[in-house]
């Protein structure tokens, strides 16, 4: 009997987009084919994105252009998560001040709440999402309402947003302006908070979802916060080195090179008297350093090293890279 693949342990995959499915306008090699295989195995697929300025339909259309399977309802955005969060706390028909895009207002309407744009319309909550057209007047209206102690939800708090001409201020900077004016902080629906992931799992009816992402501070932290299994993929931001150094809250359950690894058996890590073994690699912590017997090019070496270092630093509140001592077989 052949060993089961990693993905066979789960009933759904919740995938990040940039760095997992595509890099810029191009699909990452093997990603589209890996996503296409899920349906044949009866495994659900959802996409989770912090982007609150594009509608889920626009995101899905982009994915379909790349060849990835993507119905509109498979994309769960931070705008939708924010709307669901508000709907769970407010009676139907409640007025919500919109500090964001028309796409955000649409999501608020879809959950039975009423978008308004001024303190004079007596909103009982504020929802804030990215919109490049937001100016001082909109931030002032939000500040007036938030200062009164009203429920305030932010779609996400990404401080920067990549643009064609460079890095620009993201929604987090606009949220920070309201925080600076009021001394209040919002509840956050998007990554790395749990609501976005819970919304996606609920939509798919998934009980055992696997969250895949390339960033520890949003995808992996968010999946961990949601109580789901997490897998870091090495096709985007984070690397073997940064994953090894990760603080406890941002450590993934699995590490893979690309999405094609989802269809391979995942090697078990065993340990005996402080020595951690993965495949043919072993790792052991001594004097704050990790000694590894194995090849630096083999991911099993890094899986063993992570297991050893994380066991030695189970409560790390900040990222810390150990010294590495490599010994070939």
């Amino acid at each position: 009997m052949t060993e089961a693949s990693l993905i066979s342990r789960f009933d759904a995959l919740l995938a990040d987009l940039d760095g997992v499915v595509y890099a810029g306008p191009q699909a990452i090699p093997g990603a589209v084919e890996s996503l296409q295989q899920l349906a044949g195995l009866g495994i659900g697929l959802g996409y989770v994105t912090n982007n609150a300025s594009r509608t889920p339909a626009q995101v899905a259309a982009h994915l379909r252009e790349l060849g990835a399977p993507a119905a509109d309802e498979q994309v769960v955005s931070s705008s939708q998560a924010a709307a669901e969060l508000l709907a769970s706390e407010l009676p139907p028909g409640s007025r919500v001040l919109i500090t964001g895009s028309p796409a955000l207002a649409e999501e608020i309407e879809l959950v039975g709440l009423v978008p308004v744009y001024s303190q004079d319309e007596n909103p009982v909550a504020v929802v804030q999402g990215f919109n490049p057209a937001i100016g001082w007047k909109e931030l002032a209206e939000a500040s007036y309402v938030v200062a009164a102690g009203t429920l305030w939800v932010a779609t996400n708090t990404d401080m920067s947003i990549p643009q064609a001409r460079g890095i620009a201020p993201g929604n987090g900077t606009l949220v920070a302006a309201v925080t600076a004016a009021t001394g209040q902080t919002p509840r956050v629906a998007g990554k790395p908070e749990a609501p976005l992931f819970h919304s996606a799992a609920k939509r798919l009816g998934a009980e055992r979802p696997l969250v895949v992402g390339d960033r520890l501070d949003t995808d992996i932290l968010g999946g961990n916060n949601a109580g789901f299994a997490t897998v870091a993929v090495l096709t985007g931001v984070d690397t073997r080195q940064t994953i090894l150094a990760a603080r406890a809250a941002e450590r993934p359950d699995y590490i893979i090179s690309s999405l094609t690894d989802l269809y391979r058996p995942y090697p078990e890590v065993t340990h005996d008297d402080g020595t951690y073994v993965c495949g043919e690699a072993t790792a052991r912590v001594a004097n704050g350093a990790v000694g590894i017997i194995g090849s630096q090019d083999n991911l099993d070496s890094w899986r063993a090293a992570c297991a050893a270092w994380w066991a030695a630093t189970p409560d790390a509140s900040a990222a810390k890279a150990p010294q590495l001592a490599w010994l070939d077989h």
Side-chain angles (χ1 to χ4, degrees):
M1 183 174 136
T2 56
E3 200 179 341
S5 64
L6 173 58
I7 194 61
S8 68
R9 304 179 191 184
F10 303 97
D11 61 0
L13 186 71
L14 304 182
D16 176 49
L17 295 173
D18 200 3
V20 175
V21 181
Y22 50 72
Q26 303 297 322
I28 287 168
V32 167
E33 295 79 3
S34 298
L35 296 170
Q36 289 169 341
Q37 283 181 259
L38 293 169
L41 298 173
I43 294 167
L45 172 61
Y47 300 98
V48 285
T49 175
N50 261 0
N51 189 329
S53 59
R54 286 200 297 174
T55 66
Q58 289 169 328
V59 174
H62 178 212
L63 286 164
R64 289 193 297 270
E65 285 170 14
L66 297 175
D72 293 358
E73 60 272 15
Q74 283 176 279
V75 177
V76 185
S77 71
S78 58
S79 291
Q80 290 175 317
E84 288 187 20
L85 180 58
L86 285 162
S88 72
E89 305 245 338
L90 301 173
S94 296
R95 296 172 178 232
V96 177
L97 182 79
I98 307 294
T99 311
S101 68
L104 177 58
E106 185 180 316
E107 297 298 342
I108 293 299
E109 283 187 320
L110 287 171
V111 296
L113 302 173
V114 179
V116 299
Y117 295 89
S118 165
Q119 182 193 32
D120 297 338
E121 296 175 272
N122 299 316
V124 295
V126 177
V127 64
Q128 185 168 1
F130 185 72
N131 179 1
I134 282 177
W136 181 88
K137 286 184 177 179
E138 288 80 13
L139 295 175
E141 288 296 330
S143 297
Y144 302 147
V145 180
V146 166
T150 303
L151 174 62
W152 177 27
V153 172
T155 58
N156 65 297
T157 50
D158 297 42
M159 296 304 285
S160 61
I161 184 167
Q163 299 287 288
R165 292 163 58 196
I167 299 297
N171 195 52
T173 60
L174 301 172
V175 168
V178 178
T179 291
T182 63
Q184 305 295 313
T185 53
R187 290 172 62 179
V188 181
K191 306 173 195 177
E193 304 306 320
L196 181 61
F197 296 94
H198 287 154
S199 292
K202 180 180 171 186
R203 188 173 302 186
L204 295 171
E207 295 180 2
R208 299 183 316 283
L210 176 64
V211 173
V212 59
D214 69 306
R215 291 184 65 127
L216 299 178
D217 61 348
T218 53
D219 308 318
I220 303 305
L221 178 58
N224 289 344
N225 283 337
F228 297 155
T230 54
V231 55
V233 63
L234 299 170
T235 49
V237 171
D238 274 295
T239 64
R240 293 165 173 82
Q241 290 83 357
T242 61
I243 293 169
L244 175 63
R247 65 190 183 98
E250 296 181 0
R251 292 169 177 172
D253 296 297
Y254 308 99
I255 308 165
I256 58 177
S257 296
S258 68
L259 291 186
T260 54
D261 282 353
L262 291 171
Y263 298 94
R264 299 188 176 101
Y266 194 85
E268 186 183 1
V269 179
T270 60
H271 64 94
D272 181 39
D273 195 27
T275 297
Y276 288 77
V277 181
C278 183
E280 297 183 359
T282 66
R284 187 177 181 90
V285 176
N287 303 319
V290 182
I292 306 163
I293 301 175
S295 166
Q296 293 190 43
D297 297 331
N298 189 330
L299 193 51
D300 283 352
S301 300
W302 292 92
R303 289 164 172 154
C306 285
W309 179 242
W310 296 350
T313 57
D315 303 314
S317 59
K320 183 181 179 184
Q323 284 188 310
L324 301 180
W326 289 93
L327 304 164
D328 282 329
H329 285 284

